[in-house]
Amino acid sequence: MEFNNYLQFFGASAVSKLTDLIQNQEQDILVKFKQQIKQVEINKVEKVRIDLSEGGSLIQFMEKLIPTLNRTSGTLAQYRTTFKNLKSFQKECYKRPVHFESIDMDFYNAYVSYCQMEKEYSVNTIGKEVKHIKFFMAEAEERELHSNFKFKSKRFKKTSEESFSVYLSEDQIKTLNKLHLENTPQDEVIRDLFVASCWLGLRVGNLLEISKSHIHGNLISIRGEKTSEYIDIPLHPIVKKTIVKYGGILPNSISEWQINRRIKDIVKMAGFTDDIAYSITKGGRKVSMNEPFYSLVTTHTARRSFATNMYKRGINIQTIMAITGHNSERTFMSYVKSKRINAIKEMEDIFK
């Protein structure tokens, strides 16, 4: 198992090193394998360090580092957005290069203000921007590109507020599953995949990776997209039927972008059109929103629906977390809005 982890993570470099050791009949292969792989990583970091040691610009560092990172496509897209925002901030507001040594509370306040007023970002989106800047500053620090630790200050913090999001109840999922879409084959595939995701709880990246080799009887077994740990998920009857429908596999010849582009209209066709009122801090002020339910649905809604519905069923939290990949119980409880669910259930029990 340990060999497999190294081979999967380091790819061709690991395969080559391991093959050489086996052919030379080396003793203590695993120990020597680890040592050689560590050197591969050191060389890789040193190469990046040489490329990035010229000048002290955080933006230059990000531009060169992002393509080398082993992250999900979604995370890389977020990093690129922060990179573009910093370039715009530097040009339009800061009027000078964003050097490593200039990352202090004055920079923090100016950048947060830029995100609020110019970009009109929500509190949580600004929090992600700050989180990304702290990540890249830490990466640069490890490569000894600066000695500025002001980004570690408690005041240089990721802002956040409770986000608003919707989920589909089990009854809504069943209604969506019964929607007749035979005349629009692509919509039918998107609906089937979305409904299956409501019973699997996987991130969309994992969902679209599922092949026949991941399906073992009544289980799907796949390595988590972010945790890299194997996840075993029992198949709900609806998922089993979907797998049979598509010849022993879930449909995966479609992209996340295509799903997000159509899922709102599909959910609308299922009749989920009630207006939802909520508020969000945007552009530095509280904004009241009123939108139809279907307009708030994305690919991620399926995963949230799974987690929330399983929690409402009373399934052990650790069991659900093992499938969703949440590492922190506190994060999971916030994710499923446990306080609201528990308050509603308690009041409903009183009114019975």
Side-chain angles (χ1 to χ4, degrees), residues 124-159:
N124 290 336
T125 301
I126 295 171
K128 285 183 180 179
E129 290 284 302
V130 172
K131 177 183 175 182
H132 297 159
I133 290 170
K134 289 170 74 74
F135 165 76
F136 284 104
M137 285 293 289
E139 288 290 315
E141 180 198 342
E142 286 185 8
R143 290 163 175 77
E144 299 180 356
L145 293 175
H146 69 81
S147 56
N148 175 15
F149 306 118
K150 292 176 183 177
F151 73 97
K152 295 183 178 181
S153 166
K154 290 182 179 179
R155 294 189 298 148
F156 203 110
K157 62 183 179 179
K158 170 190 171 184
T159 58

Side-chain angles (χ1 to χ4, degrees), residues 110-123:
Y111 189 67
V112 168
S113 178
Y114 170 78
C115 289
Q116 286 177 339
M117 309 312 295
E118 299 298 326
K119 307 297 290 187
E120 294 193 343
Y121 280 164
S122 69
V123 168

Side-chain angles (χ1 to χ4, degrees), residues 7 9 26 51 76 155 183 190 231 233 251 324 335 344:
L7 292 173
F9 186 77
E26 294 278 359
D51 290 342
L76 291 175
R155 294 189 298 148
N183 296 328
I190 290 171
I231 304 168
I233 309 172
T324 61
Y335 184 74
I344 292 170

Side-chain angles (χ1 to χ4, degrees), residues 29-65:
I29 287 179
L30 180 56
V31 174
K32 293 182 179 180
F33 181 58
K34 284 182 177 180
Q35 291 172 346
Q36 293 196 16
I37 287 300
K38 184 177 180 180
Q39 189 59 47
V40 169
E41 269 304 274
I42 290 173
N43 291 341
K44 181 179 177 182
V45 171
E46 289 295 332
K47 182 177 185 301
V48 173
R49 182 180 295 162
I50 292 170
D51 290 342
L52 300 174
S53 60
E54 299 176 5
S57 168
L58 173 61
I59 292 175
Q60 290 174 354
F61 176 70
M62 292 173 66
E63 183 176 21
K64 293 178 179 179
L65 186 65

